[in-house]
Short mmCIF file of all heavy atoms in Angstrom, two decimals:
data_model
loop_
_atom_site.label_atom_id
_atom_site.label_comp_id
_atom_site.label_asym_id
_atom_site.label_seq_id
_atom_site.Cartn_x
_atom_site.Cartn_y
_atom_site.Cartn_z
N THR I 26 0.84 -1.27 0.00
CA THR I 26 -0.04 0.01 0.05
C THR I 26 0.85 1.26 -0.03
O THR I 26 0.30 2.35 -0.33
CB THR I 26 -0.87 0.04 1.22
OG1 THR I 26 -0.17 0.15 2.41
CG2 THR I 26 -1.84 -1.22 1.20
N GLN I 27 2.15 1.18 0.35
CA GLN I 27 3.05 2.31 0.35
C GLN I 27 3.59 2.66 -1.01
O GLN I 27 3.71 1.82 -1.87
CB GLN I 27 4.22 2.07 1.25
CG GLN I 27 3.67 1.93 2.91
CD GLN I 27 3.08 3.12 3.42
OE1 GLN I 27 3.62 4.23 3.14
NE2 GLN I 27 1.90 3.03 4.05
N PRO I 28 4.00 3.93 -1.19
CA PRO I 28 4.52 4.28 -2.47
C PRO I 28 5.81 3.61 -2.80
O PRO I 28 6.63 3.28 -1.89
CB PRO I 28 4.68 5.83 -2.35
CG PRO I 28 4.67 6.14 -0.92
CD PRO I 28 3.92 5.04 -0.22
N SER I 29 6.06 3.48 -4.11
CA SER I 29 7.20 2.91 -4.63
C SER I 29 7.77 3.59 -5.80
O SER I 29 7.12 4.09 -6.62
CB SER I 29 7.03 1.40 -5.04
OG SER I 29 6.71 0.56 -4.00
N LEU I 30 9.09 3.59 -5.89
CA LEU I 30 9.83 4.06 -6.98
C LEU I 30 10.64 2.95 -7.60
O LEU I 30 11.35 2.22 -6.86
CB LEU I 30 10.85 5.12 -6.67
CG LEU I 30 11.82 5.63 -7.73
CD1 LEU I 30 11.14 6.35 -8.89
CD2 LEU I 30 12.89 6.65 -7.04
N PHE I 31 10.51 2.70 -8.90
CA PHE I 31 11.21 1.56 -9.58
C PHE I 31 12.25 2.20 -10.59
O PHE I 31 11.84 3.01 -11.37
CB PHE I 31 10.18 0.78 -10.32
CG PHE I 31 9.16 0.06 -9.49
CD1 PHE I 31 8.05 0.59 -9.13
CD2 PHE I 31 9.37 -1.19 -8.99
CE1 PHE I 31 7.17 -0.02 -8.20
CE2 PHE I 31 8.58 -1.99 -8.17
CZ PHE I 31 7.38 -1.22 -7.78
N VAL I 32 13.46 1.73 -10.42
CA VAL I 32 14.41 2.15 -11.30
C VAL I 32 15.05 0.81 -12.02
O VAL I 32 15.53 0.01 -11.37
CB VAL I 32 15.48 2.82 -10.53
CG1 VAL I 32 16.60 3.38 -11.52
CG2 VAL I 32 14.91 4.05 -9.77
N GLY I 33 15.10 0.84 -13.39
CA GLY I 33 15.56 -0.30 -13.91
C GLY I 33 15.94 0.23 -15.48
O GLY I 33 15.72 1.33 -15.89
N GLY I 34 16.45 -0.79 -16.15
CA GLY I 34 17.04 -0.39 -17.49
C GLY I 34 16.49 -1.36 -18.61
O GLY I 34 16.08 -2.54 -18.35
N THR I 35 16.51 -0.73 -19.82
CA THR I 35 15.89 -1.45 -20.92
C THR I 35 16.82 -2.67 -21.35
O THR I 35 16.27 -3.61 -22.02
CB THR I 35 15.87 -0.50 -22.17
OG1 THR I 35 17.22 -0.03 -22.42
CG2 THR I 35 14.91 0.65 -21.96
N ASP I 36 17.95 -2.87 -20.89
CA ASP I 36 18.81 -3.98 -21.13
C ASP I 36 18.86 -5.01 -20.09
O ASP I 36 19.66 -5.88 -20.00
CB ASP I 36 20.15 -3.69 -21.60
CG ASP I 36 20.38 -3.03 -22.89
OD1 ASP I 36 19.32 -3.02 -23.71
OD2 ASP I 36 21.46 -2.51 -23.40
N ASP I 37 17.93 -4.93 -19.09
CA ASP I 37 17.90 -5.75 -17.88
C ASP I 37 16.75 -6.73 -18.24
O ASP I 37 15.63 -6.45 -18.31
CB ASP I 37 17.58 -4.95 -16.80
CG ASP I 37 17.43 -5.76 -15.40
OD1 ASP I 37 17.57 -7.11 -15.50
OD2 ASP I 37 17.42 -5.21 -14.33
N PRO I 38 17.13 -8.07 -18.35
CA PRO I 38 16.20 -9.11 -18.51
C PRO I 38 15.06 -9.15 -17.37
O PRO I 38 14.10 -9.75 -17.58
CB PRO I 38 16.78 -10.42 -18.84
CG PRO I 38 18.13 -10.19 -18.02
CD PRO I 38 18.42 -8.69 -18.13
N MET I 39 15.38 -8.70 -16.34
CA MET I 39 14.51 -8.83 -15.11
C MET I 39 13.55 -7.58 -14.98
O MET I 39 12.73 -7.45 -14.21
CB MET I 39 15.28 -9.07 -13.81
CG MET I 39 16.03 -10.22 -13.94
SD MET I 39 17.12 -10.40 -12.52
CE MET I 39 18.15 -11.75 -13.03
N TRP I 40 13.76 -6.50 -15.85
CA TRP I 40 12.98 -5.35 -15.85
C TRP I 40 11.81 -5.41 -16.76
O TRP I 40 11.83 -6.06 -17.82
CB TRP I 40 13.79 -4.21 -16.31
CG TRP I 40 13.18 -2.89 -16.50
CD1 TRP I 40 12.80 -2.35 -17.67
CD2 TRP I 40 12.78 -2.07 -15.43
NE1 TRP I 40 12.23 -1.05 -17.38
CE2 TRP I 40 12.08 -0.85 -15.92
CE3 TRP I 40 12.81 -2.14 -14.00
CZ2 TRP I 40 11.62 0.15 -15.28
CZ3 TRP I 40 12.28 -0.99 -13.24
CH2 TRP I 40 11.75 0.04 -13.91
N ASN I 41 10.69 -4.82 -16.28
CA ASN I 41 9.44 -4.84 -17.11
C ASN I 41 8.92 -3.36 -16.88
O ASN I 41 8.31 -3.22 -15.78
CB ASN I 41 8.47 -5.91 -16.67
CG ASN I 41 7.28 -5.91 -17.55
OD1 ASN I 41 6.76 -4.80 -17.95
ND2 ASN I 41 6.74 -7.05 -17.83
N GLY I 42 9.16 -2.43 -17.89
CA GLY I 42 8.70 -1.07 -17.65
C GLY I 42 7.27 -0.96 -17.50
O GLY I 42 6.78 -0.04 -16.62
N ALA I 43 6.42 -1.70 -18.16
CA ALA I 43 4.99 -1.58 -18.08
C ALA I 43 4.58 -1.90 -16.65
O ALA I 43 3.70 -1.34 -16.03
CB ALA I 43 4.32 -2.47 -19.15
N VAL I 44 5.06 -3.09 -16.15
CA VAL I 44 4.78 -3.41 -14.75
C VAL I 44 5.12 -2.49 -13.70
O VAL I 44 4.36 -2.10 -12.78
CB VAL I 44 5.38 -4.88 -14.44
CG1 VAL I 44 5.22 -5.20 -12.89
CG2 VAL I 44 4.57 -5.95 -15.29
N ALA I 45 6.40 -1.84 -13.84
CA ALA I 45 6.93 -0.80 -13.01
C ALA I 45 6.03 0.32 -13.02
O ALA I 45 5.67 0.80 -11.94
CB ALA I 45 8.33 -0.52 -13.38
N ARG I 46 5.56 0.77 -14.11
CA ARG I 46 4.69 1.98 -14.20
C ARG I 46 3.30 1.69 -13.59
O ARG I 46 2.73 2.56 -13.00
CB ARG I 46 4.59 2.44 -15.64
CG ARG I 46 5.85 3.04 -16.16
CD ARG I 46 5.73 3.56 -17.61
NE ARG I 46 5.51 2.64 -18.61
CZ ARG I 46 6.70 1.93 -19.09
NH1 ARG I 46 7.96 2.15 -18.70
NH2 ARG I 46 6.50 1.05 -20.01
N GLU I 47 2.94 0.49 -13.72
CA GLU I 47 1.61 0.13 -13.07
C GLU I 47 1.66 0.14 -11.54
O GLU I 47 0.76 0.54 -10.91
CB GLU I 47 1.20 -1.38 -13.61
CG GLU I 47 0.02 -1.85 -12.92
CD GLU I 47 -0.19 -3.42 -13.11
OE1 GLU I 47 0.37 -3.92 -14.22
OE2 GLU I 47 -0.65 -4.11 -12.28
N LEU I 48 2.78 -0.24 -11.09
CA LEU I 48 2.97 -0.45 -9.61
C LEU I 48 3.42 0.98 -8.88
O LEU I 48 3.29 0.89 -7.66
CB LEU I 48 3.96 -1.48 -9.33
CG LEU I 48 3.72 -2.93 -9.75
CD1 LEU I 48 4.81 -3.90 -9.55
CD2 LEU I 48 2.36 -3.39 -8.96
N GLY I 49 3.92 1.79 -9.67
CA GLY I 49 4.43 3.03 -8.90
C GLY I 49 5.07 3.97 -9.89
O GLY I 49 4.84 3.84 -11.06
N GLU I 50 5.83 4.89 -9.37
CA GLU I 50 6.68 5.66 -10.13
C GLU I 50 7.86 4.84 -10.80
O GLU I 50 8.33 3.94 -10.16
CB GLU I 50 7.45 6.83 -9.29
CG GLU I 50 6.43 7.82 -8.71
CD GLU I 50 7.25 8.86 -8.06
OE1 GLU I 50 8.19 9.47 -8.46
OE2 GLU I 50 6.76 9.16 -6.89
N ALA I 51 8.20 5.13 -12.00
CA ALA I 51 9.16 4.35 -12.65
C ALA I 51 10.09 5.24 -13.40
O ALA I 51 9.74 6.23 -14.14
CB ALA I 51 8.43 3.24 -13.76
N VAL I 52 11.46 4.94 -13.29
CA VAL I 52 12.44 5.51 -14.06
C VAL I 52 13.10 4.46 -14.85
O VAL I 52 13.69 3.46 -14.31
CB VAL I 52 13.55 6.24 -13.18
CG1 VAL I 52 14.74 6.77 -13.96
CG2 VAL I 52 12.81 7.29 -12.47
N GLU I 53 12.97 4.65 -16.23
CA GLU I 53 13.61 3.47 -17.13
C GLU I 53 14.86 4.17 -17.88
O GLU I 53 14.70 5.18 -18.48
CB GLU I 53 12.49 3.09 -18.13
CG GLU I 53 13.05 1.80 -18.93
CD GLU I 53 11.87 1.29 -19.79
OE1 GLU I 53 11.42 2.03 -20.72
OE2 GLU I 53 11.29 0.31 -19.39
N ILE I 54 15.94 3.56 -17.63
CA ILE I 54 17.19 4.03 -18.15
C ILE I 54 17.56 3.26 -19.42
O ILE I 54 17.76 2.02 -19.37
CB ILE I 54 18.33 3.92 -17.08
CG1 ILE I 54 17.88 4.78 -15.86
CG2 ILE I 54 19.63 4.57 -17.69
CD1 ILE I 54 18.87 4.71 -14.70
N ASP I 55 17.57 3.97 -20.51
CA ASP I 55 17.81 3.35 -21.91
C ASP I 55 19.29 2.74 -21.86
O ASP I 55 20.31 3.42 -21.40
CB ASP I 55 17.66 4.40 -23.00
CG ASP I 55 17.69 3.70 -24.33
OD1 ASP I 55 17.12 2.53 -24.42
OD2 ASP I 55 18.25 4.30 -25.32
N GLY I 56 19.40 1.48 -22.14
CA GLY I 56 20.63 0.79 -22.17
C GLY I 56 21.16 0.26 -20.92
O GLY I 56 22.26 -0.40 -20.82
N ALA I 57 20.60 0.54 -19.79
CA ALA I 57 21.04 0.09 -18.50
C ALA I 57 20.75 -1.50 -18.44
O ALA I 57 19.68 -1.95 -18.72
CB ALA I 57 20.45 0.90 -17.33
N ASP I 58 21.75 -2.20 -17.84
CA ASP I 58 21.51 -3.55 -17.55
C ASP I 58 21.27 -3.81 -16.02
O ASP I 58 21.03 -2.96 -15.39
CB ASP I 58 22.73 -4.37 -18.04
CG ASP I 58 23.97 -4.14 -17.29
OD1 ASP I 58 24.05 -3.48 -16.21
OD2 ASP I 58 25.05 -4.44 -17.87
N HIS I 59 21.21 -5.15 -15.73
CA HIS I 59 20.80 -5.43 -14.30
C HIS I 59 21.77 -4.89 -13.25
O HIS I 59 21.35 -4.61 -12.14
CB HIS I 59 20.65 -6.87 -14.20
CG HIS I 59 20.00 -7.19 -12.91
ND1 HIS I 59 18.70 -7.04 -12.65
CD2 HIS I 59 20.53 -7.89 -11.82
CE1 HIS I 59 18.35 -7.38 -11.38
NE2 HIS I 59 19.42 -8.00 -10.90
N GLY I 60 23.08 -4.73 -13.66
CA GLY I 60 23.97 -4.24 -12.69
C GLY I 60 23.76 -2.74 -12.26
O GLY I 60 24.09 -2.34 -11.16
N LEU I 61 23.13 -1.95 -13.20
CA LEU I 61 22.92 -0.50 -13.02
C LEU I 61 24.26 0.14 -12.46
O LEU I 61 24.16 0.88 -11.54
CB LEU I 61 21.75 -0.30 -12.16
CG LEU I 61 21.19 1.20 -12.12
CD1 LEU I 61 20.66 1.50 -13.43
CD2 LEU I 61 20.13 1.24 -11.11
N ALA I 62 25.37 -0.19 -13.06
CA ALA I 62 26.60 0.10 -12.47
C ALA I 62 27.43 1.07 -13.20
O ALA I 62 28.51 1.59 -12.78
CB ALA I 62 27.53 -1.12 -12.24
N ARG I 63 26.96 1.65 -14.34
CA ARG I 63 27.74 2.57 -15.05
C ARG I 63 27.57 3.99 -14.52
O ARG I 63 26.53 4.34 -14.12
CB ARG I 63 27.33 2.56 -16.54
CG ARG I 63 27.50 1.30 -17.16
CD ARG I 63 27.24 1.16 -18.67
NE ARG I 63 27.92 2.11 -19.39
CZ ARG I 63 29.08 1.91 -19.99
NH1 ARG I 63 29.62 0.66 -19.98
NH2 ARG I 63 29.78 2.81 -20.68
N ILE I 64 28.68 4.63 -14.38
CA ILE I 64 28.77 5.88 -13.74
C ILE I 64 27.71 6.99 -14.37
O ILE I 64 27.15 7.87 -13.66
CB ILE I 64 30.17 6.45 -13.55
CG1 ILE I 64 30.21 7.63 -12.56
CG2 ILE I 64 30.62 6.97 -15.07
CD1 ILE I 64 30.01 7.25 -11.23
N GLU I 65 27.50 6.73 -15.65
CA GLU I 65 26.48 7.71 -16.35
C GLU I 65 25.09 7.45 -15.79
O GLU I 65 24.21 8.33 -16.06
CB GLU I 65 26.55 7.67 -17.80
CG GLU I 65 26.23 6.29 -18.52
CD GLU I 65 27.44 5.50 -18.82
OE1 GLU I 65 28.57 5.73 -18.19
OE2 GLU I 65 27.32 4.57 -19.61
N HIS I 66 24.79 6.34 -15.07
CA HIS I 66 23.49 6.11 -14.64
C HIS I 66 23.28 6.80 -13.24
O HIS I 66 22.18 7.08 -12.89
CB HIS I 66 23.36 4.56 -14.27
CG HIS I 66 23.37 3.75 -15.49
ND1 HIS I 66 23.85 2.47 -15.46
CD2 HIS I 66 23.13 3.98 -16.86
CE1 HIS I 66 23.99 1.91 -16.67
NE2 HIS I 66 23.52 2.92 -17.50
N ALA I 67 24.32 7.13 -12.58
CA ALA I 67 24.28 7.75 -11.17
C ALA I 67 23.41 8.92 -11.23
O ALA I 67 22.53 9.00 -10.24
CB ALA I 67 25.66 7.94 -10.65
N PRO I 68 23.50 9.88 -12.08
CA PRO I 68 22.72 11.11 -11.88
C PRO I 68 21.25 10.91 -11.99
O PRO I 68 20.36 11.46 -11.31
CB PRO I 68 23.22 12.00 -13.15
CG PRO I 68 24.62 11.62 -13.28
CD PRO I 68 24.49 10.14 -13.12
N ARG I 69 20.84 10.02 -12.93
CA ARG I 69 19.31 9.61 -13.17
C ARG I 69 18.79 9.02 -11.85
O ARG I 69 17.74 9.40 -11.39
CB ARG I 69 19.15 8.75 -14.29
CG ARG I 69 19.44 9.29 -15.63
CD ARG I 69 18.18 9.97 -16.28
NE ARG I 69 16.93 9.41 -16.26
CZ ARG I 69 16.24 8.51 -17.10
NH1 ARG I 69 17.07 8.14 -18.09
NH2 ARG I 69 15.09 8.18 -17.04
N VAL I 70 19.63 8.09 -11.36
CA VAL I 70 19.24 7.44 -10.08
C VAL I 70 19.15 8.31 -8.94
O VAL I 70 18.03 8.49 -8.15
CB VAL I 70 20.13 6.18 -9.73
CG1 VAL I 70 19.83 5.58 -8.29
CG2 VAL I 70 20.11 5.10 -10.82
N ALA I 71 20.15 9.20 -8.79
CA ALA I 71 20.21 10.19 -7.69
C ALA I 71 19.06 11.07 -7.73
O ALA I 71 18.48 11.51 -6.78
CB ALA I 71 21.57 10.86 -7.64
N LYS I 72 18.83 11.63 -8.93
CA LYS I 72 17.76 12.64 -9.17
C LYS I 72 16.30 12.00 -8.76
O LYS I 72 15.55 12.57 -8.11
CB LYS I 72 17.77 13.20 -10.52
CG LYS I 72 16.65 14.25 -10.77
CD LYS I 72 16.88 14.73 -12.23
CE LYS I 72 15.64 15.73 -12.46
NZ LYS I 72 15.69 16.23 -13.84
#
């Protein structure tokens, strides 16, 4: 029942953007994989 923010990437096989948007706020990072480890992802996640 509590709010959720989902952050994932289009290259992550475990990510489903449609489900994330259904369940709460969603940030989908183009090209991000399951590690979400690239430094260029940091600003989007932090913001």
